[in-house]
Amino acid sequence: MSYQRTVEELYALGHELAGTPSHKFDLAYVREMLEALGRPERRFASVLIAGTNGKGSTAATLASILRAAGHKTGLYSSPHLVRINERIRVNGEEISDVEFGAMHERAERTAQQLLAAGKLPWHPSFFEMLTVMAFEYFASVGVDIAVLEVGMGGRLDATNVVEPVISVITDISLDHQKYLGDTIAEIAGEKAGIIRKHGVVVTLPQHPQANDVIGRAILDHDARGVSAAKYVPPVSPGAAVYLAGRTAAAPGRSRYPLTVMGEEIEVDSPLAGRHQLRNLALAIATAEELGQFGFKATAKQIEQGIRQTHWRGRFQVLAPSEATHGREMVLDVAHNPAGAWALRSALSETFPGRELTIIFAAMRDKAIQEMADVLFPIAEQVVLTQVNNPRAATIAELTQAAARTGAVLYPEENVPQALARAADVSKRDGIIVVTGSIFLVGEVMNVLKIRA
């Protein structure tokens, strides 16, 4: 089967949450698949990372640190920006088209055998198939350790079939309420489902409701909680001198000194914005803890890994070019209110006084009104568009959500037209900000021919 046909078969299962609602989340079905494949997830160590915002950034940074320390490292993340292969990486390299097809063939053959034997009630979902494929690939190439980003929630997520050496919980906010609950406490309960009996949990103080739920879960599981707070640098307005490296001379990066394991290093990360300081702290604290499980990393290796992290679309600043119509551009995958606030803060800090033109698209199941309320007032104008995704909000829906913000709106049918319109209506020295959906950022990167 060709690579293209393989990808088409996977998408035919229903992309992400737009698929078959009758398919109940149940880890038993994933375990059935893995059992038939010889339990590949038991042939490597793993770190499991859950949260609402920042889990991908934390995972990418940790994987880069482990790679810099000489450990053969897998990274499983979602969703992808441009190509589905991005989700499965070993030592920073995407799974090849040939290997992707081979993993799918193994997983599909196994699924069909189990369906025929009555051991599966229905075909595994898109995400379940990809998760099984990732585990089979990591085992087949002999990774030492895999960093696994939870897809949604935690308790019933397909990744939660592993026995992680460390569980990490990033910041929790409202998102996917239809599936996870309507309150921070309910959502935190789902995320805390990755905590194991007598396990290690790395996290940070956050919303009181989340703190309470996570704290109780740690006690209930007799687990050991590790706070990454010691690796969060000062973030008050008076900390500008400490964070002086984050200037207009280096937009889109975070630079600051930090003491790690008794040694001073310089954090130089492509992940910019004050919210990323927390994700970096979680990655550093987890790397330190992993030393107790045989995955040692020195302070200098942590410094190197942070510097070499590759994670596109997170306040990614593009210099003016022909592709960007001569405008400086920011790509950011903020797709919920907490992400919108983080982006707003990063923009005001990095580009004070610069005119902002926002290109915005979102999925209809997201908090579009709240995101518009946060972001649109800081923009001179907003270009609304629709991405190629069954969950995408229409331009009419986006316009309705934006009405009360008073923003100057320009509707455009597709991404190339949106990019052209943004250039037409913005000043030459202004900033074009692409945000609202991971899928929008991915389409823009595709148009601009940027690899993820």
Side-chain angles (χ1 to χ4, degrees):
M1 186 186 298
S2 70
Y3 168 77
Q4 187 58 41
R5 180 61 182 156
T6 296
V7 174
E8 289 172 359
E9 281 203 4
L10 279 168
Y11 281 140
L13 297 174
H15 191 263
E16 305 294 13
L17 302 180
T20 47
S22 62
H23 284 198
K24 179 183 175 184
F25 297 116
D26 194 328
L27 299 186
Y29 307 143
V30 182
R31 291 193 179 99
E32 197 75 54
M33 285 275 288
L34 294 170
E35 182 68 39
L37 287 165
R39 301 311 296 254
E41 82 283 6
R42 293 181 178 175
R43 302 207 294 273
F44 53 85
S46 59
V47 175
L48 196 52
I49 303 179
T52 306
N53 292 301
K55 59 183 185 291
S57 297
T58 303
T61 303
L62 178 60
S64 186
I65 290 170
L66 288 166
R67 188 165 72 250
H71 307 295
K72 189 171 185 178
T73 306
L75 174 62
Y76 181 52
S77 60
S78 63
H80 59 277
L81 287 169
V82 180
R83 300 181 79 238
I84 197 170
N85 305 48
E86 297 164 29
R87 297 173 180 240
I88 305 172
R89 301 177 190 250
V90 173
N91 281 350
E93 296 294 324
E94 294 176 10
I95 184 174
S96 70
D97 292 355
V98 172
E99 290 283 9
F100 189 90
M103 294 306 111
H104 177 261
E105 186 178 343
R106 291 184 202 176
E108 180 62 27
R109 184 172 59 245
T110 301
Q112 293 299 336
Q113 290 170 348
L114 292 171
L115 284 166
K119 293 184 177 180
L120 288 181
W122 46 65
H123 194 286
S125 70
F126 173 85
F127 188 74
E128 288 168 341
M129 285 289 286
L130 276 173
T131 302
V132 169
M133 289 165 60
F135 293 170
E136 179 70 6
Y137 182 61
F138 292 155
S140 68
V141 299
V143 302
D144 302 317
I145 185 168
V147 181
L148 310 174
E149 178 190 356
V150 168
M152 183 183 70
R155 182 175 62 92
L156 296 176
D157 189 81
T159 57
N160 201 29
V161 296
V162 301
E163 288 301 322
V165 290
I166 295 180
S167 302
V168 183
I169 300 179
T170 67
D171 288 345
I172 295 170
S173 60
L174 295 175
D175 201 6
H176 295 306
Q177 288 98 310
K178 176 181 176 182
Y179 301 93
L180 304 180
D182 294 321
T183 67
I184 294 290
E186 288 176 320
I187 294 172
E190 293 296 317
K191 310 290 185 185
I194 69 168
I195 297 173
R196 296 294 188 267
K197 193 76 172 175
H198 307 305
V200 177
V201 186
V202 178
T203 189
L204 277 167
Q206 49 177 299
H207 192 286
Q209 289 183 25
N211 289 340
D212 185 52
V213 171
I214 295 168
R216 282 204 316 271
I218 289 172
L219 289 173
D220 290 345
H221 289 82
D222 195 21
R224 179 167 62 87
V226 176
S227 173
K230 65 180 178 179
Y231 292 132
V232 179
V235 293
S236 67
V241 174
Y242 185 85
L243 301 173
R246 193 143 25 95
T247 65
R253 294 193 75 86
S254 293
R255 289 179 176 167
Y256 50 92
L258 191 69
T259 301
V260 175
M261 296 187 289
E263 185 175 341
E264 184 167 296
I265 67 170
E266 173 164 73
V267 171
D268 179 5
S269 169
L271 302 173
R274 291 183 179 236
H275 60 293
Q276 291 289 6
L277 305 182
R278 293 172 60 82
N279 302 325
L280 290 167
L282 288 166
I284 294 167
T286 305
E288 181 181 19
E289 286 297 318
L290 282 169
Q292 300 182 39
F293 297 93
F295 299 98
K296 295 188 181 300
T298 65
K300 285 300 179 186
Q301 288 167 337
I302 289 173
E303 180 182 65
Q304 178 187 349
I306 293 171
R307 186 174 62 251
Q308 294 175 343
T309 300
H310 181 88
W311 198 233
R312 300 293 194 188
R314 281 73 183 174
F315 204 79
Q316 181 180 351
V317 180
L318 305 180
S321 67
E322 184 178 347
T324 66
H325 299 272
R327 303 297 192 274
E328 198 165 8
M329 186 176 289
V330 174
L331 309 180
D332 194 90
V333 298
H335 58 277
N336 55 39
W341 278 114
L343 172 59
R344 177 169 172 161
S345 173
L347 287 168
S348 65
E349 187 175 84
T350 308
F351 303 110
R354 300 277 293 275
E355 179 197 83
L356 302 177
T357 299
I358 290 177
I359 300 177
F360 186 87
M363 299 298 102
R364 66 165 51 91
D365 58 345
K366 294 293 183 176
I368 300 172
Q369 180 74 71
E370 289 88 339
M371 286 193 288
D373 288 347
V374 172
L375 291 173
F376 291 7
I378 67 172
E380 192 72 19
Q381 51 265 323
V382 177
V383 180
L384 301 175
T385 192
Q386 184 172 346
V387 295
N388 183 25
N389 187 287
R391 288 167 52 213
T394 65
I395 292 174
E397 289 169 333
L398 295 175
T399 301
Q400 182 179 3
R404 76 181 188 189
T405 68
V408 177
L409 304 175
Y410 295 93
E412 292 294 342
E413 288 185 8
N414 56 52
V415 167
Q417 290 177 9
L419 287 166
R421 176 56 69 97
D424 287 343
V425 300
S426 62
K427 292 179 180 176
R428 197 74 182 175
D429 63 349
I431 309 292
I432 295 176
V433 182
V434 179
T435 193
S437 169
I438 293 170
F439 301 104
L440 172 62
V441 171
E443 283 197 31
V444 168
M445 290 178 69
N446 202 31
V447 170
L448 301 182
K449 295 180 169 54
I450 299 172
R451 284 187 65 84

